[in-house]
Amino acid sequence: MEKREQVNRLAEILAKTSQDLPDFAVMEVCGTHTHAIARYGLSALLPPNIKLVSGPGCPVCVTADETLARALTLARQPATCVCSFGDMLRVPVRVRYPDGQIGLDSLLRERGLGRDVRLVVSSLDVLRLAQAEPDRQFVWFAVGFETTAPATAVLLQQARAAGVHNLKVLCAHKTMPAALLALLDPTGRRPARQPIRGLLCPGHVAVITGADAFRFVPEQLGLAAAISGFEPEDILAALIELSRQLRRGQPGLRNMYPAVARPEGNLAAQALLRQIFQPCPAVWRGLGEIPGSGLALKPEWRDFDALDSSLTPDPAAAVRPAPENGKTACHCGQVLRGDESPADCPLFLRVCTEANPRGPCMVSSEGACAAASRYGTGGAAAVRIKDSKGVRPDSLSGHNESGKEPDVHE
Ligand code: SF4
Ligand code: SF4
């Protein structure tokens, strides 16, 4: 079956499966899902009673202003180079400088002012730089979820093995489960503007953590859950599964990405993470501090910690966040909580554009505002889905505890 035909067929099945269900919202917590949904215009194919809401799925977007301000402080230290991925360098943050001045800053702006800030494409690039320039301190500004933290762990192992001492890590790695528990807290301590009844779980995170790591979604949050791949037909098949669970009144977890996300995950990567990191409280943009949702270096690796090192200046010399209030404030926090869509932000495409972003959700290649800007907020899916016969067979199947293949055809 052609891809376009298959997508249309799945949209019909979804309409049938969700018929008569009360209106419900499904949150996607992966930046790649957000972009696939916008890129293929999938919202336009959904029945009117289903709404898709973006959550805190982009690691650049959820990095708090406090952490960005620390990176700026480190970039201002003598003979120090801060390295990170391109998106992280572009995120704007309103800060108060040590002299009391307030301004909009970013690592890229600091580079324009002559500070040593470098874009890298891999964590191991930082090791090569540190070895090539032993008289400079190199700081790896490490962001990302369970998917990217193993690369930082490998960097530290290799740096220690090579006897490299001029490399530190500003560790902003985060893990997904504690944040989802806090955001979707069933006790209602954090009431969401729109009640979420299903979760499209991040396939890439599940590759590392294992699909079973998302069992807490039905068991503790009482929400329907499906681990999904990233093609339009994968996402529609996952939505059909969520509708079925809601129709039965039995939220569960279905792995719709079984070819790569095994129930137990990547055990070697998990062992590596346990060797280097330990859970710590972390501040998430829009969600605040969440216990156990961050990764800190274990005591035996603290000699690599940028915040525990001689690089940390006198607190009086630190750059600090200076959040904006009122009409000119960025709404990324509300967008990441799923309380608002990008178009609800008064700055969206008026003041804040991809060329002149005012918040991380417009900067990041996985951000919800960038997706809405690039592809629009609805649109004709049919014109965006090119015909192809390359549909992966696993995109329409999954496995559950019983090992039974789900049938998406009603
Ligand atoms: S790293 Fe993978 S799972 Fe995480 S947001 Fe990006 S694409 Fe999604
Ligand atoms: S449109 Fe810009 S300012 Fe508004 S929430 Fe998105 S990134 Fe922030």
Side-chain angles (χ1 to χ4, degrees), residues 330-332 335 342 345 347-348 352 358-362 369:
C330 158
H331 285 215
C332 280
V335 170
C345 172
L347 308 190
F348 180 67
C352 178
R358 291 293 299 272
C361 297
M362 188 61 92
C369 299

Side-chain angles (χ1 to χ4, degrees), residues 29-33 57-59 144-145 147-148 176 202-206 230 366:
V29 282
C30 166
T32 307
H33 281 150
C58 162
F145 298 127
T147 34
T148 42
M176 195 56 97
H204 292 165
V205 169
F230 300 94
E366 294 187 349

Side-chain angles (χ1 to χ4, degrees), residues 35-69:
H35 272 253
I37 289 161
R39 180 169 173 215
Y40 295 113
L42 292 188
S43 299
L45 290 178
L46 300 186
N49 56 339
I50 303 182
K51 184 171 182 201
L52 290 177
V53 176
S54 299
C58 162
V60 171
C61 302
V62 298
T63 300
D65 283 352
E66 290 90 320
T67 316
L68 280 160

